[in-house]
Amino acid sequence: MAYRLNQRKKSILVAIHVLSVAAWIGGTLGMLCLAFYLPNGANGEQLLYTMASMEVIDENLLKYPALLSLISGILLSVWTQWGLSKHYWIIIKLVLTIITILIGIFFLNKWTAGLGVIIEDIGFLALQNEQFQSTWTSIVITSSFNLLCLAFMTFITYLKPFGKVKKSRN
C-alpha cells in the first residue's frame, strides 16, 4: 500500500501548493506588467531600474514558486487518491508545469539578463536597438503564453475535465 496523507497533512500540502501557484501567477503578471512598461521609460536609469525589478521578480517570484508548485503538485498526486498518471488533467498539468519552468530557465531568464546588458551598454538608446526590441517582444509573448498556461492549469484543477486514463488490456 502506498503512503497516503491524512486530512491535516493534505490540507497543509494543498495550502503550500496554492500559495506557490499564486506567487508564480503573481510573479508572471508582475513580470509582464513591467515588460509592457519598459518601452515607456523616460531615461536610461528608469530602464535599468525596471530591468532590476524584473530580475528580482524572476529570481524570487518565478523560480522558487514554480519549483515548489511542481514538487507539491507531484507529492499531492502520489500521496492522494488522484495518482500521477490516473487522470488526464493531472498529466496535462504536469507537462505544462514542466514546459513553463523550462521556458523560464532556458529563455526568459537569459532574455531578461540580455536586456539588462543592452541597457547597461547603451542606456536609453536601447529602446531603438533592434536586438532589444526583438528580445522584448519575445519576453512579452512568452510571458503571456506562460500566464495562459497557468490560468488553464488553474481551471482544470477545479473542473477536472478529460476523464481518467484508460488502462490498456494486454
Side-chain angles (χ1 to χ4, degrees):
M1 182 82 187
Y3 176 76
R4 294 284 183 236
L5 294 173
N6 64 35
Q7 188 58 44
R8 180 166 172 76
K9 289 178 182 176
K10 179 183 173 188
S11 295
I12 291 169
L13 192 53
V14 167
I16 290 168
H17 185 68
V18 169
L19 287 172
S20 66
V21 171
W24 191 9
I25 290 171
T28 303
L29 276 170
M31 191 78 139
L32 198 52
C33 287
L34 286 172
F36 276 121
Y37 173 77
L38 189 63
N40 299 316
N43 54 50
E45 291 80 28
Q46 198 172 39
L47 294 179
L48 277 173
Y49 179 77
T50 303
M51 284 309 306
S53 298
M54 289 175 74
E55 288 175 2
V56 167
I57 288 173
D58 181 41
E59 189 63 38
N60 298 296
L61 286 175
L62 294 179
K63 289 179 184 175
Y64 300 119
L67 182 60
L68 185 57
S69 174
L70 175 64
I71 292 168
S72 61
I74 289 171
L75 293 176
L76 279 169
S77 295
V78 298
W79 287 346
T80 63
Q81 78 279 5
W82 294 108
L84 197 54
S85 60
K86 292 181 184 178
H87 300 271
Y88 285 110
W89 67 273
I90 293 174
I91 295 169
I92 291 168
K93 282 183 63 172
L94 178 61
V95 169
L96 287 176
T97 298
I98 291 170
I99 287 171
T100 54
I101 288 172
L102 291 175
I103 286 171
I105 291 169
F106 292 111
F107 299 103
L108 287 172
N109 192 318
K110 288 178 178 43
W111 291 336
T112 303
L115 287 185
V117 169
I118 293 171
I119 293 169
E120 286 175 358
D121 287 348
I122 60 177
F124 191 65
L125 295 175
L127 294 177
Q128 279 74 44
N129 182 284
E130 191 174 311
Q131 178 68 35
F132 178 92
Q133 291 174 359
S134 172
T135 303
W136 175 82
T137 302
S138 297
I139 289 173
V140 169
I141 290 169
T142 307
S143 295
S144 298
F145 171 78
N146 283 358
L147 187 60
L148 183 65
C149 287
L150 290 166
F152 178 71
M153 288 188 282
T154 301
F155 277 101
I156 67 173
T157 297
Y158 292 100
L159 299 176
K160 296 176 181 39
F162 314 120
K164 282 188 163 190
V165 175
K166 294 178 180 34
K167 295 180 181 178
S168 62
R169 295 180 187 190
N170 290 336

